Amino acid sequence: MLKGRILLLHGPNLNLLGTREPEVYGDVTLDRINEFVHAHAGRRRTVMQTHQSNHEGALIDRLHAARDEVDGAIINAGAFAHTSLALRDAIVAVGLPVVEVHLSNVYAREAFRHHSMLAPACVGVIAGFGWRSYLLAMDALLGHLGQLDQ
Ligand code: DQA
């Protein structure tokens, strides 16, 4: 039986994962991370849509479009997490449960990364576990949706 449909949004500069500051973000590419995500979704019998954009409005458009297609979303908004009131408003507007994700532990980094515009609109935040943050977020979201087996 199907256990939920989830949209995973990757924000700006995450298309460069693999070569972008590997000491901070690891050396796994975004394509590989999406493969890990889809494999985990298969284990959870969950259908994942993944999308990356460097553009704030495109991320918002994708979230709007998913409104009636998914049960929840996982968003690594990159730097937009710290700045985007528009993305936060979009999360509230679509009414979907959203888990905010960061690969790095943003709280152990520069002070400007400690504040999230999105977090108050999300059910929770997972940060610091590299690509595994996405798998943890998936389980957290499925648990929130009541769709994770014990
Ligand atoms: C990030 C953390 C952000 O502060 C940064 O701007 C990113 C990546 C992360 O996944 O650790 O682009 O979201």
Side-chain angles (χ1 to χ4, degrees):
M1 193 184 76
L2 186 62
K3 301 261 183 185
R5 302 156 300 168
I6 296 174
L7 171 69
L8 169 56
L9 282 182
H10 302 284
N13 301 307
L14 296 171
N15 54 309
L16 298 183
L17 286 176
T19 57
R20 177 194 180 198
E21 299 179 79
E23 66 286 357
V24 177
Y25 299 117
D27 57 6
V28 180
T29 64
L30 188 64
D31 282 348
R32 198 84 181 98
I33 289 175
N34 282 335
E35 284 175 18
F36 296 154
V37 164
H38 285 294
H40 193 66
R43 289 191 285 275
R44 297 289 185 249
R45 278 179 262 143
T46 297
V47 175
M48 296 291 303
Q49 301 177 19
T50 62
H51 182 75
Q52 189 275 331
S53 177
N54 293 319
H55 304 278
E56 187 178 16
L59 293 167
I60 292 169
D61 285 345
R62 192 65 193 81
L63 189 59
H64 288 180
R67 183 181 193 169
D68 299 318
E69 295 173 6
V70 299
D71 304 303
I74 298 167
I75 303 181
N76 183 349
F80 291 147
H82 313 301
T83 62
S84 181
L85 176 56
L87 191 49
R88 174 205 185 120
D89 281 352
I91 291 169
V92 174
V94 297
L96 289 170
V98 172
V99 176
E100 177 181 345
V101 163
H102 298 283
L103 293 145
S104 63
N105 178 0
V106 285
Y107 303 102
R109 300 181 64 195
E110 303 96 325
F112 57 79
R113 295 185 205 277
H114 296 180
H115 180 258
S116 168
M117 293 294 289
L118 311 185
C122 293
V123 293
V125 179
I126 295 181
F129 298 96
W131 58 266
R132 290 185 180 83
S133 291
Y134 296 101
L135 310 194
L136 295 168
M138 194 189 308
D139 284 355
L141 185 54
L142 289 171
H144 177 83
L145 292 168
Q147 308 228 337
L148 188 67
D149 295 332
Q150 298 301 310

